[in-house]
Amino acid sequence: MLTTGPRRVVHLCKFEGWRRLGESMARAMQGSALLTRPLLLVPIPLGVRRMRSRGYNQAAELAQALARSGGFPLGLDVLRRSRETGAQSDLPPESRAANVRGAFQARGVAGRRVLLVDDVFTTGATLGAAAEALVAAGAQSVQAVTFARALGPLGAA
C-alpha cells in the first residue's frame, strides 16, 4: 500500500483523468541518480483496451515530463504490449510475473541505455518483463524509475 499522499496522487492521475499531475510527479522524480546522459526514456505501455478506456498512459505522461525537463530523448514507440494482460492490481503478488511474461516487444534500442518509467513499483513484475523485451532487442542496459513504491503488509517494503 502506498502512503496516503502519493497513493491519492497516483489514483487521480491514473483513474480520474488528472493527467496534468504527471508534471508534478515528474518533478518529484527529477532527483533520481538514474537520470544521466546518454539515456532513452521509455514508458511502460498500456494495452490497447486500457489505453482506449483511459484515454492516455500515465507512464507516458511522466516520461514526457521528465524528457522535457532534462532534455532526454523519449522512446514512446519502442516498447509495446504484444498482448493484453489483466490488471496487475487485481492479482496476488505471486501471480503477477506470469501475467506479464512475454507481454512486451521492443525495437530500436540496440546499443542504447534505457530508463523505463512507470508510476508505481509494486512487485517489479511489469518492469522486469519490459526490461527482458528491451534487452532482447539489444538495449545496452535497462534501469527503471517510478514515482512511488507500494509497501507490503504492515508497511514493509
XYZ file of all heavy atoms in Angstrom, residues 2 4-26 29 46 50-51 53-65 117-120 147-148:
372
model
N 0.528 2.224 -0.792
C 1.247 3.494 -0.805
C 0.814 4.322 0.386
O -0.273 4.150 0.909
C 0.909 4.292 -2.074
C 1.332 3.697 -3.394
C 0.759 4.522 -4.530
C 2.829 3.643 -3.496
N -0.626 7.713 2.057
C -1.815 8.427 1.625
C -1.557 9.457 0.540
O -2.234 9.486 -0.461
C -2.501 9.108 2.829
O -2.773 8.093 3.778
C -3.787 9.771 2.415
N -0.569 10.337 0.698
C -0.320 11.391 -0.283
C -0.018 10.852 -1.663
O -0.748 11.125 -2.618
N 1.067 10.076 -1.822
C 1.373 9.533 -3.147
C 0.278 8.620 -3.692
O 0.010 8.620 -4.890
C 2.678 8.751 -2.917
C 3.290 9.385 -1.725
C 2.134 9.825 -0.862
N -0.365 7.879 -2.828
C -1.431 6.981 -3.284
C -2.551 7.773 -3.944
O -3.051 7.416 -5.004
C -1.965 6.178 -2.102
C -3.037 5.198 -2.512
C -3.591 4.444 -1.318
N -4.540 3.478 -1.793
C -4.651 2.251 -1.346
N -3.883 1.829 -0.379
N -5.542 1.441 -1.842
N -2.940 8.868 -3.324
C -4.014 9.708 -3.869
C -3.582 10.343 -5.196
O -4.358 10.395 -6.142
C -4.399 10.788 -2.843
C -5.502 11.701 -3.305
C -6.840 11.006 -3.262
N -7.884 11.936 -3.636
C -8.889 11.638 -4.440
N -9.026 10.415 -4.898
N -9.785 12.532 -4.748
N -2.342 10.806 -5.260
C -1.830 11.419 -6.485
C -1.857 10.397 -7.629
O -2.317 10.695 -8.732
C -0.406 11.983 -6.269
C 0.241 12.377 -7.586
C -0.449 13.177 -5.329
N -1.353 9.191 -7.373
C -1.361 8.146 -8.399
C -2.791 7.836 -8.822
O -3.089 7.726 -10.015
C -0.642 6.871 -7.900
C -0.902 5.691 -8.826
C 0.848 7.134 -7.757
N -3.699 7.699 -7.867
C -5.090 7.391 -8.185
C -5.706 8.486 -9.071
O -6.363 8.189 -10.075
C -5.912 7.219 -6.905
C -7.332 6.852 -7.177
N -7.737 5.552 -7.378
C -8.443 7.618 -7.316
C -9.033 5.533 -7.634
N -9.478 6.774 -7.596
N -5.491 9.728 -8.714
C -6.048 10.833 -9.510
C -5.479 10.847 -10.925
O -6.218 11.032 -11.892
C -5.781 12.179 -8.826
C -6.560 12.450 -7.546
C -6.009 13.702 -6.843
C -8.046 12.617 -7.834
N -4.185 10.626 -11.038
C -3.547 10.646 -12.355
C -3.975 9.446 -13.198
O -4.270 9.588 -14.379
C -2.027 10.673 -12.191
S -1.133 10.759 -13.759
N -4.046 8.304 -12.573
C -4.285 7.054 -13.294
C -5.759 6.813 -13.620
O -6.083 6.350 -14.708
C -3.752 5.917 -12.422
C -3.441 4.648 -13.114
C -2.696 3.735 -12.133
C -2.111 2.558 -12.805
N -1.153 1.862 -11.962
N -6.639 7.131 -12.673
C -8.040 6.728 -12.827
C -9.039 7.872 -12.911
O -10.193 7.656 -13.269
C -8.447 5.808 -11.669
C -7.594 4.588 -11.545
C -6.806 4.394 -10.430
C -7.559 3.634 -12.554
C -6.002 3.277 -10.305
C -6.755 2.506 -12.443
C -5.973 2.333 -11.316
N -8.632 9.069 -12.547
C -9.581 10.189 -12.519
C -9.337 11.220 -13.616
O -9.948 12.282 -13.610
C -9.536 10.882 -11.144
C -9.863 9.968 -9.979
C -11.298 9.475 -9.977
O -12.186 10.211 -10.448
O -11.523 8.346 -9.518
N -8.407 10.927 -14.518
C -8.176 11.817 -15.645
C -7.327 13.039 -15.355
O -7.224 13.928 -16.188
N -6.693 13.101 -14.227
C -5.854 14.252 -13.871
C -4.463 14.070 -14.469
O -3.461 14.058 -13.764
C -5.766 14.407 -12.368
C -7.025 14.827 -11.686
C -8.307 14.502 -12.011
C -7.118 15.652 -10.525
N -9.180 15.061 -11.135
C -8.481 15.779 -10.204
C -6.180 16.275 -9.721
C -8.930 16.511 -9.131
C -6.614 17.007 -8.640
C -7.982 17.137 -8.357
N -4.378 13.965 -15.766
C -3.115 13.661 -16.425
C -2.070 14.735 -16.227
O -0.882 14.472 -16.272
C -3.338 13.352 -17.892
C -3.821 14.513 -18.721
C -4.301 14.137 -20.078
N -3.260 13.642 -20.949
C -3.502 13.167 -22.153
N -4.726 13.115 -22.622
N -2.519 12.739 -22.897
N -2.473 15.963 -15.968
C -1.514 17.051 -15.740
C -0.712 16.837 -14.446
O 0.316 17.467 -14.248
C -2.216 18.407 -15.702
C -2.983 18.763 -16.958
C -2.183 19.396 -18.022
N -1.468 20.563 -17.508
C -0.502 21.145 -18.157
N -0.124 20.696 -19.313
N 0.110 22.187 -17.650
N -1.182 15.957 -13.577
C -0.402 15.638 -12.380
C 0.936 15.003 -12.745
O 1.866 14.992 -11.940
C -1.175 14.699 -11.458
C -2.193 15.350 -10.542
C -2.988 14.285 -9.794
C -1.521 16.293 -9.566
N 1.029 14.482 -13.963
C 2.284 13.897 -14.426
C 3.445 14.871 -14.314
O 4.574 14.474 -14.002
N 3.187 16.154 -14.542
C 4.247 17.175 -14.416
C 4.774 17.239 -12.989
O 5.981 17.244 -12.760
C 3.716 18.550 -14.833
C 3.347 18.674 -16.287
C 4.556 18.761 -17.208
O 5.644 19.184 -16.746
O 4.405 18.395 -18.380
N 3.867 17.294 -12.021
C 4.279 17.355 -10.615
C 4.957 16.062 -10.183
O 5.949 16.077 -9.439
C 3.068 17.619 -9.716
O 2.503 18.858 -10.018
N 4.421 14.936 -10.637
C 5.023 13.656 -10.300
C 6.446 13.572 -10.868
O 7.371 13.111 -10.199
C 4.150 12.515 -10.825
C 2.802 12.419 -10.121
S 1.588 11.386 -11.007
C 2.234 9.740 -10.683
N 6.628 14.048 -12.094
C 7.948 14.019 -12.727
C 8.932 14.916 -11.971
O 10.101 14.566 -11.815
C 7.844 14.455 -14.184
N 10.435 13.120 -9.297
C 11.338 12.066 -9.761
C 12.665 12.619 -10.283
O 13.612 11.868 -10.467
C 10.654 11.261 -10.875
C 9.404 10.532 -10.422
S 8.374 9.960 -11.797
C 9.370 8.652 -12.481
N 0.544 0.860 -22.043
C -0.729 0.236 -21.678
C -1.168 -0.683 -22.803
O -0.748 -0.515 -23.953
C -1.812 1.304 -21.486
C -1.663 2.267 -20.322
C -2.796 3.286 -20.342
C -1.639 1.526 -19.004
N -7.022 -0.819 -22.314
C -6.856 0.122 -21.203
C -6.564 1.532 -21.721
O -7.056 2.521 -21.187
C -5.754 -0.351 -20.265
C -5.803 0.376 -18.948
C -5.093 -0.352 -17.823
N -5.769 -1.604 -17.502
C -5.199 -2.797 -17.520
N -3.933 -2.929 -17.829
N -5.883 -3.874 -17.214
N -5.778 1.629 -22.786
C -5.477 2.933 -23.370
C -6.750 3.566 -23.923
O -6.993 4.760 -23.745
C -4.423 2.777 -24.471
C -4.005 4.056 -25.105
S -3.119 5.097 -23.923
C -2.782 6.487 -24.969
N -9.860 3.020 -22.928
C -10.788 3.418 -21.874
C -10.267 4.598 -21.057
O -11.044 5.463 -20.652
C -11.107 2.239 -20.945
O -9.995 1.923 -20.155
N -8.964 4.667 -20.838
C -8.385 5.742 -20.029
C -8.134 6.994 -20.853
O -8.206 8.111 -20.345
C -7.091 5.238 -19.403
C -6.605 6.106 -18.269
C -5.442 5.478 -17.551
N -5.857 4.281 -16.835
C -5.039 3.358 -16.377
N -3.746 3.476 -16.564
N -5.503 2.315 -15.732
N -7.764 6.810 -22.119
C -7.516 7.950 -22.995
C -6.083 8.452 -22.977
O -5.706 9.280 -23.795
N -5.274 7.982 -22.077
C -3.873 8.362 -22.005
C -3.141 7.350 -21.133
O -3.756 6.584 -20.414
C -3.694 9.785 -21.434
C -4.155 9.928 -20.000
C -3.250 9.811 -18.944
C -5.488 10.157 -19.692
C -3.671 9.916 -17.631
C -5.915 10.270 -18.387
C -5.001 10.152 -17.359
O -5.425 10.256 -16.060
N -1.828 7.390 -21.231
C -0.981 6.495 -20.459
C -0.247 7.327 -19.413
O 0.556 8.197 -19.756
C 0.018 5.810 -21.404
C 1.014 4.933 -20.684
O 1.059 4.868 -19.458
N 1.831 4.244 -21.450
N -0.496 7.072 -18.142
C 0.121 7.864 -17.084
C 1.643 7.732 -17.082
O 2.350 8.701 -16.790
C -0.466 7.516 -15.709
C -0.050 6.186 -15.139
C -0.771 4.999 -15.752
O -1.724 5.150 -16.527
N -0.330 3.800 -15.419
N 2.180 6.571 -17.444
C 3.633 6.410 -17.508
C 4.216 7.263 -18.637
O 5.298 7.834 -18.492
C 3.999 4.940 -17.703
N 3.500 7.369 -19.740
C 3.951 8.226 -20.840
C 3.922 9.692 -20.431
O 4.810 10.463 -20.801
C 3.094 7.999 -22.084
N 2.915 10.088 -19.643
C 2.861 11.470 -19.144
C 4.095 11.769 -18.294
O 4.709 12.832 -18.417
C 1.593 11.704 -18.326
C 0.295 11.566 -19.104
C 0.091 12.675 -20.127
O 0.472 13.834 -19.851
O -0.455 12.377 -21.196
N 4.461 10.836 -17.422
C 5.654 11.001 -16.584
C 6.915 11.073 -17.440
O 7.769 11.944 -17.232
C 5.777 9.845 -15.595
C 4.741 9.749 -14.494
C 4.924 8.449 -13.715
C 4.829 10.933 -13.563
N 7.047 10.146 -18.383
C 8.242 10.107 -19.226
C 8.373 11.378 -20.062
O 9.473 11.918 -20.206
C 8.207 8.870 -20.128
N 7.262 11.867 -20.601
C 7.310 13.090 -21.397
C 7.757 14.278 -20.551
O 8.573 15.088 -20.991
C 5.947 13.367 -22.034
C 5.628 12.398 -23.142
C 4.182 12.487 -23.613
O 3.286 12.839 -22.860
N 3.972 12.150 -24.869
N 7.233 14.389 -19.349
C 7.615 15.499 -18.470
C 9.089 15.398 -18.082
O 9.800 16.407 -18.060
C 6.719 15.519 -17.230
N 10.132 4.042 -17.357
C 9.413 4.973 -16.499
C 8.024 4.411 -16.234
O 7.309 4.029 -17.168
C 9.297 6.370 -17.160
C 8.526 7.331 -16.267
C 10.677 6.923 -17.496
N 7.636 4.369 -14.948
C 6.290 3.924 -14.579
C 5.846 4.703 -13.346
O 6.635 5.404 -12.715
C 6.276 2.422 -14.312
C 4.903 1.785 -14.512
O 3.948 2.503 -14.905
O 4.769 0.576 -14.275
N 4.576 4.572 -13.009
C 4.051 5.337 -11.880
C 4.331 4.665 -10.539
O 4.731 5.322 -9.590
C 2.561 5.641 -12.042
C 1.708 4.407 -12.254
O 2.245 3.317 -12.526
O 0.480 4.537 -12.169
N 4.143 3.342 -10.453
C 4.291 2.649 -9.166
C 5.065 1.347 -9.335
O 4.805 0.580 -10.252
C 2.905 2.325 -8.541
C 3.059 1.570 -7.229
C 2.095 3.590 -8.331
N 7.477 6.793 -9.773
C 7.079 7.874 -8.881
C 6.950 7.380 -7.441
O 7.337 8.051 -6.503
C 5.744 8.473 -9.340
C 5.139 9.422 -8.359
C 5.694 10.663 -8.125
C 3.990 9.070 -7.644
C 5.139 11.535 -7.197
C 3.427 9.923 -6.724
C 3.997 11.168 -6.493
N 6.394 6.192 -7.269
C 6.123 5.674 -5.921
C 6.429 4.185 -5.863
O 6.509 3.512 -6.879
C 4.662 5.921 -5.544
